[in-house]
Every structure is written in structure tokens, then in C-alpha cells.
Amino acid sequence: MDAKRFAVLFGVITPFLGFITAVYLAWGRGVFPIDLALLVIFFLFSGFGVTIGYHRFFSHPSFKTIRPIKYLLGIGGSMAWEGGVLDWSANHRQHHQYSDEEGDLHSPHIYGESLWGITKGLWYAHIGWMFYNPPANHAYIPD
């Protein structure tokens, strides 16, 4: 397993293991408001980092913002373990250029139309691409 796949695997499994550990440690003592607040804050921070930052700001420059917000959006997106902002943006722009056609990196149809092919394609389109994606073509992000 190469370093990139190991890092993605680490980033996908570690939060789940952290959740299991937190449930074990909280068992019998309860969950305090600060625990829930941190859960919600970091969930929203990384989620908005991908949806607003990586997607709307970096991939489809749909708004302008000040430098500190730009950095926060990049950090939040990076916390989601979906790769770096340049690779993510290049792959996303390529996906839009070739939606559900040959060359689409996130198409759920790449394994055929059988039930197994669609299931495998949905896995790849939502999570698998993080493990098996070829190097990003930075020609899609000249800006």
C-alpha cells in the first residue's frame, strides 16, 4: 500500500475508532455539552470546508472572500480527508467536463449496468475514488 492510500485509510478509519473510543470512555459518565458542541463544530467545519470551500470557492470560483476565510475553507476541506485542494479541484472540474462519460473520475456507471456493477460504481463514486484515483491533471486548474 502506497503512502497516499495509507493516509486516506488512516483518515477514514481513525474518526470511526475515535468514536468507538469516545463511546467506551463516556459509558457510565455521560456526555457533556462541550463534547456535543465539539462534535457539531468540527463536523460542520470540515463539511463546510468541502461543500463551500473545496466545491464552491476553489473548484467553481462562485464568490470572493478575504484571505483568512480562504485559509479557513482550505483547512476545513483538508480535515475531511478528501485530498488536497488543488487535486480535489482538478478532479472535480474534470468530473464536470465528462459527467457520466469516459473520463469521468466519479461516475457510478464505470463498472457497467448490472446490480453488482452499479453497487461497485456507487461505492467508487462516493468513497472509492479517494483510494484509487489516478494523479490529478492540474491542467484543469490553470487559475
Side-chain angles (χ1 to χ4, degrees), residues 3-136:
K4 180 181 177 184
R5 286 186 185 164
F6 178 78
V8 171
L9 186 63
F10 178 81
V12 169
I13 290 176
T14 302
F16 178 71
L17 295 177
F19 174 74
I20 298 298
T21 303
V23 168
Y24 173 77
L25 293 175
W27 201 266
R29 88 163 172 91
V31 176
F32 294 101
I34 188 69
D35 301 324
L36 296 176
L38 288 171
L39 170 73
V40 169
I41 288 167
F42 282 106
F43 177 80
L44 292 174
F45 184 58
S46 64
F48 288 148
V50 171
T51 58
I52 296 172
Y54 275 23
H55 188 234
R56 290 287 166 217
F57 182 73
F58 294 110
S59 295
H60 308 289
S62 55
F63 64 94
K64 295 187 185 303
T65 188
I66 59 176
R67 190 174 300 215
I69 300 298
K70 179 180 179 178
Y71 292 152
L72 285 173
L73 290 171
I75 291 168
S78 296
M79 288 176 62
W81 285 89
E82 291 191 12
V85 67
L86 294 177
D87 288 349
W88 199 99
S89 296
N91 288 337
H92 188 70
R93 289 179 182 181
Q94 182 177 353
H95 158 70
H96 274 286
Q97 184 173 355
Y98 298 105
S99 292
D100 290 335
E101 297 175 1
E102 185 72 32
D104 182 0
L105 301 172
H106 304 293
S107 176
H109 303 291
I110 62 174
Y111 295 106
E113 298 301 321
S114 68
L115 179 61
W116 175 245
I118 290 171
T119 303
K120 192 173 177 182
L122 285 172
W123 163 260
Y124 180 81
H126 288 90
I127 295 172
W129 66 269
M130 291 189 288
F131 294 98
Y132 307 110
N133 217 16

